[in-house]
Each structure stands twice: as C-alpha cells, then as structure tokens.
Amino acid sequence: MQRVTMTIDDDLMAALDQYMEAGGHQNRSEAVRDLVRAGLLKKPEADGGDRPCIGALVYLYDHETRQLSKRLMHDHHSHADLSIAALHVHVDAETCLEVSLLRGRKSEVEHFARHVIGERGVRYGQLVVAPAEAHSPDGSAHATSHGHGHSHA
C-alpha cells in the first residue's frame, strides 16, 4: 500500500465522514479507497473517441474562488465549437450551478468536461454523454425532419 496525503476542505471532509459512517467503513482510508474505485469505473472509454456525441456537463462551483468564473468563461469561449447552450443558476450566496450542452467528438467532449471539473473551486461535476446519431428501436437512422425550421447538421 502507498500512503497519500490530501488537503480536503471542511465541508467535503464532513461529507466523507457521513459517507464513511453510512457505508460501515472502519476508517477514512477505506471510504476513500471505495470512492476511488467507484470513480475509476466511470473513466472515459478508450474506444469510440472519434464518434460524434451530445453531452450535458453539470457542475457546481464556488463563484468566490479567485478568477474561477473568468477561467470557466475563457474555457467555454476557447471551446465554442463544442458548446451548444449553457444554463447558469445562482444556488446560494457562494454557489453557482451550470449546465453546459456540448456537441462534438466524444474524446473532445470528455477532455473538456474533465478540464472543467478539475478546476480549483469546482465542487461537483458530472458529464452525461449520448451518441449524436439518433436511431429508432429497429436500428435504422432517425429522420431529422420534424416540421420545424432548423438544421440538424
């Protein structure tokens, strides 16, 4: 085994202690190992990186973290080719929620999401990815004409 030293804010430590008690873990190390294993199950798939996808990136962040809002805005502007739309909500005095809808190659969408979630001050983040091609239950391609005026290109 390896010994690892981590710095965790008080709120996250309290949440870890609650997780530890609820899960019946004997100590924090067992709880962290469980969480790391669960996180590794969600690692990006090695295949399908070139396939087009649509993604919803949901994250909570502390808007008081130095320059975080500016960095996040810069990140989104630098990846304008991936961004479809965004929703920004003020959750409380310190916390903002953003939902970013993304479209692009799966590997690029996942890379961007990991970068955003990894920013200092982002408290929680999750990416949900779906294939960009729509298919009917029988596997045939879905028609893109819906009777309203916009392109699906």
Side-chain angles (χ1 to χ4, degrees):
M1 290 223 177
Q2 302 270 336
R3 180 176 295 264
V4 177
T5 303
M6 299 171 56
T7 302
I8 298 176
D9 65 52
D10 293 337
D11 291 340
L12 189 56
M13 185 58 73
L16 177 61
D17 288 342
Q18 288 176 345
Y19 175 83
M20 183 181 80
E21 288 179 29
H25 298 91
Q26 297 297 313
N27 54 54
R28 288 178 176 156
S29 291
E30 285 182 12
V32 169
R33 281 192 294 271
D34 257 7
L35 291 167
V36 169
R37 284 186 200 102
L40 288 173
L41 291 174
K42 296 179 181 180
K43 68 183 175 186
E45 296 177 30
D47 60 318
D50 284 334
R51 295 193 67 193
C53 75
I54 301 246
L57 173 59
V58 178
Y59 56 101
L60 287 166
Y61 68 94
D62 179 353
H63 74 89
E64 294 295 326
T65 298
R66 185 170 181 249
Q67 299 288 316
L68 179 59
S69 295
K70 185 177 180 180
R71 287 194 316 269
L72 290 170
M73 187 183 322
H74 179 267
D75 291 343
H76 281 278
H77 283 253
S78 297
H79 294 85
D81 57 319
L82 296 177
S83 293
I84 298 171
L87 170 68
H88 180 94
V89 177
H90 299 276
V91 176
D92 58 34
E94 299 90 28
T95 307
C96 292
L97 166 76
E98 286 207 3
V99 178
S100 298
L101 301 182
L102 308 167
R103 180 194 309 252
R105 286 188 18 225
K106 186 171 181 269
S107 60
E108 292 174 351
V109 168
E110 288 175 336
H111 181 265
F112 178 70
R114 283 192 306 272
H115 175 76
V116 169
I117 292 168
E119 287 276 9
R120 187 175 61 83
V122 174
R123 295 183 184 148
Y124 171 85
Q126 180 135 9
L127 174 67
V128 176
V129 177
E133 307 92 9
H135 293 279
S136 64
D138 68 358
S140 62
H142 172 74
T144 57
S145 176
H146 302 294
H148 50 252
H150 70 266
S151 165
H152 289 267

